[in-house]
Amino acid sequence: DSGVTQTPKHLITATGQRVTLRCSPRSGDLSVYWYQQSLDQGLQFLIQYYNGEERAKGNILERFSAQQFPDLHSELNLSSLELGDSALYFCASSVEYLPTGELFFGEGSRLTVL
Amino acid sequence: AQRVTQPEKLLSVFKGAPVELKCNYSYSGSPELFWYVQYSRQRLQLLLRHISRESIKGFTADLNKGETSFHLKKPFAQEEDSAMYYCALSGLIQGAQKLVFGQGTRLTINP
């Protein structure tokens, strides 16, 4: 499957811990986006990278950070986890620099903080 | 503030009936608008975008700048249309072009 892949699919951890979510974009896509989907909330934009550089930031908490590596995969690091961080985290990719075209989504990583 | 509002969390219609999923936006400028759909056990995927002005799977959406709306319509619903639908806006928000989503509407088509 040459689509967007996210690992892990499910993750259960405790408050105060740190986790890393990983995303591999579609072959040829240079942009990677991270979105958070909590209960009763839509998809909240967190951050976008283009070819290794941060391009746009949304409502991403200071406890969260991300990066895109030279091979274009991206990681989202969540630290000092709180119960409210429990959510589905989506990664998406696209070939464009700006989010004006189609985004291709992964299946998401479901994080449960106990 | 720039945002997308989908007033209905849940929408249920009978097969063969018309469907309209509402989307309103708040944006000071000319946004680009999209509808994304997530079918059961599938990934979120693009359904249509306003600049294409095309009909996909029988769905159409017209951008109404006066009413700041981008409602999704289909004249005759089919059971396979049951899914989660998200309206999205791409625009300049807090200094950067971003794609923001509404909260989504779960559409159920009853047989």
Side-chain angles (χ1 to χ4, degrees), chain B residues 57-73:
Chain B
K57 299 185 179 183
F59 284 98
T60 59
D62 291 317
L63 178 59
N64 186 321
K65 290 188 178 180
E67 295 183 358
T68 58
S69 68
F70 187 57
H71 302 329
L72 183 68
K73 299 178 184 179

Side-chain angles (χ1 to χ4, degrees), chain A residues 48 55-56 98-100, chain B residues 27 32 90-93 95-99:
Chain A
Q48 181 205 347
R55 196 204 69 77
L98 296 177
T100 52
Chain B
Y27 185 74
E32 297 190 48
S90 178
L92 194 62
I93 299 170
Q97 190 85 12
K98 297 171 187 173
L99 182 69

Side-chain angles (χ1 to χ4, degrees), chain A residues 34-70:
Chain A
W34 286 98
Y35 284 86
Q36 179 193 54
Q37 184 178 43
S38 307
L39 273 175
D40 293 332
Q41 295 215 13
L43 289 147
Q44 302 292 313
F45 171 67
L46 296 178
I47 199 163
Q48 181 205 347
Y49 282 82
Y50 180 83
N51 203 21
E53 300 290 326
E54 180 185 307
R55 196 204 69 77
K57 227 172 188 177
N59 298 324
I60 187 166
L61 299 172
E62 285 191 14
R63 299 183 286 109
F64 296 2
S65 65
Q67 54 184 323
Q68 186 180 28
F69 295 87

